[in-house]
Amino acid sequence: QVQLVESGGGLVQAGGSLRLSCAASGSIGSIDAMGWFRQAPGKPRELVATIATRGITNYADSVKGRFTISRDNAKDTVYLQMNSLKPEDTALYYCGAKHWASVQYNYWGQGTQVTVSS
C-alpha cells in the first residue's frame, strides 16, 4: 500500500500564499501520478492539479495561473504552491495517488484545511 500525509494548510487572508506538501511512503514504485483535490462544505470533491510521469501537469480552470504543482522524487514528496488565494479556495485539500494499473486515483491522505478570509 501507499500512505500519504498532507501538511501546510492554515488560515490566510485573500491574496496571500500557502504551500501544501504531501509525503508518500510505502510502495512508491507502483505510483504513476499524484494530485491535489479539494472539498468545500456542501460541494463534491474536485480535482485541483495533477502531475504524472514525465512531469505532465493538469490544472482546474479555477486555479490556472495561481497554483503550481511540483514534485521532489528524492524526497517522495509532491507540493502545491498556492498564490493569490481567494475565499472560494477555502476547502479541505487532499493528496491523492494513482496506481499504474488503475484508471482512477485510489490512495488518499487525511486532508489539510485551507481557509482564506475575505
Side-chain angles (χ1 to χ4, degrees), residues 4-86:
L4 306 173
V5 179
E6 305 98 331
S7 62
L11 175 64
V12 65
Q13 292 188 21
S17 298
L18 285 173
R19 189 178 78 158
L20 306 183
S21 299
C22 174
S25 61
S27 302
I28 307 301
S30 66
I31 299 301
D32 71 351
M34 296 184 69
W36 289 96
F37 302 75
R38 66 187 183 187
Q39 186 169 26
K43 296 184 178 181
R45 182 177 299 187
E46 65 173 347
L47 184 150
V48 176
T50 61
I51 184 165
T53 55
R54 304 298 184 186
I56 302 299
T57 58
N58 184 47
Y59 296 92
D61 288 341
S62 60
V63 307
K64 287 180 179 177
R66 299 188 298 122
F67 292 9
T68 302
I69 188 170
S70 61
R71 65 189 178 196
D72 184 339
N73 290 331
K75 297 182 178 180
D76 296 324
T77 300
V78 64
Y79 304 95
L80 184 68
Q81 178 66 47
M82 305 186 293
N83 298 325
S84 302
L85 283 162
K86 305 174 181 179

